[in-house]
Amino acid sequence: MSDGNGSGSSGGDVQRPVGIDALLERVRAGYERIEPQEAYEAALAGDALLVDIRYAALRERDGLISGALVVERNELEWRLDPQGSHRLPEATSHALRVVVICNEGYASSLAVQSLHQLGLHRATDLVGGFQAWRAAGLPLV
């Protein structure tokens, strides 16, 4: 059977494509994001692990968040899965509260969805990302 545009159809349900804005909205509806000041206080209190997933050029250009763990985005799941063979020493439990930080707070939302799928249900991301942290005047190195 043909759908009229040259591609075949197997008769199954086909999901409509979702744009990135709709996908971000859907993903973010599944958890509560965190503001920079709250993330800073949680990290100081030992209640959150800040994880910077920005690529090296941005870290070199803008600096680092004091106390944040740098984990490249392509290694994030491998390093934070408490059951993984390549996990970091900080990845001790699925109850770990992880705050994922990208440059502006978009890629981090998608990363959080992936961490939730691994069972890290307390994972969240920083509203506005690194740029919001810096704008708030929070510690950088």
Side-chain angles (χ1 to χ4, degrees), residues 31-103:
Y31 66 96
E32 188 174 328
R33 302 177 79 207
I34 191 169
E35 296 288 338
Q37 186 65 41
E38 184 182 353
Y40 172 68
E41 292 169 6
L44 275 180
D47 185 42
L49 177 65
L50 304 179
V51 178
D52 186 343
I53 64 168
R54 294 175 301 140
Y55 55 90
L58 288 176
R59 294 191 312 268
E60 290 168 9
R61 182 189 78 189
D62 295 336
L64 299 169
I65 291 174
S66 183
L69 185 65
V70 174
V71 179
E72 296 283 341
R73 173 60 190 100
N74 64 329
E75 296 179 355
L76 186 68
E77 293 82 357
W78 298 104
R79 301 295 187 220
L80 293 182
D81 179 6
Q83 298 174 320
S85 58
H86 298 292
R87 73 175 181 83
L88 293 169
E90 295 85 353
T92 57
S93 163
H94 285 96
L96 181 64
R97 185 179 186 196
V98 175
V99 178
V100 181
I101 303 163
C102 67
N103 195 48

Side-chain angles (χ1 to χ4, degrees), residues 101-126:
I101 303 163
C102 67
N103 195 48
E104 294 181 342
Y106 296 100
S108 56
S109 295
L110 299 177
V112 166
Q113 178 186 33
S114 183
L115 294 178
H116 284 184
Q117 290 174 328
L118 287 175
L120 293 158
H121 298 291
R122 294 184 70 209
T124 187
D125 72 321
L126 190 67

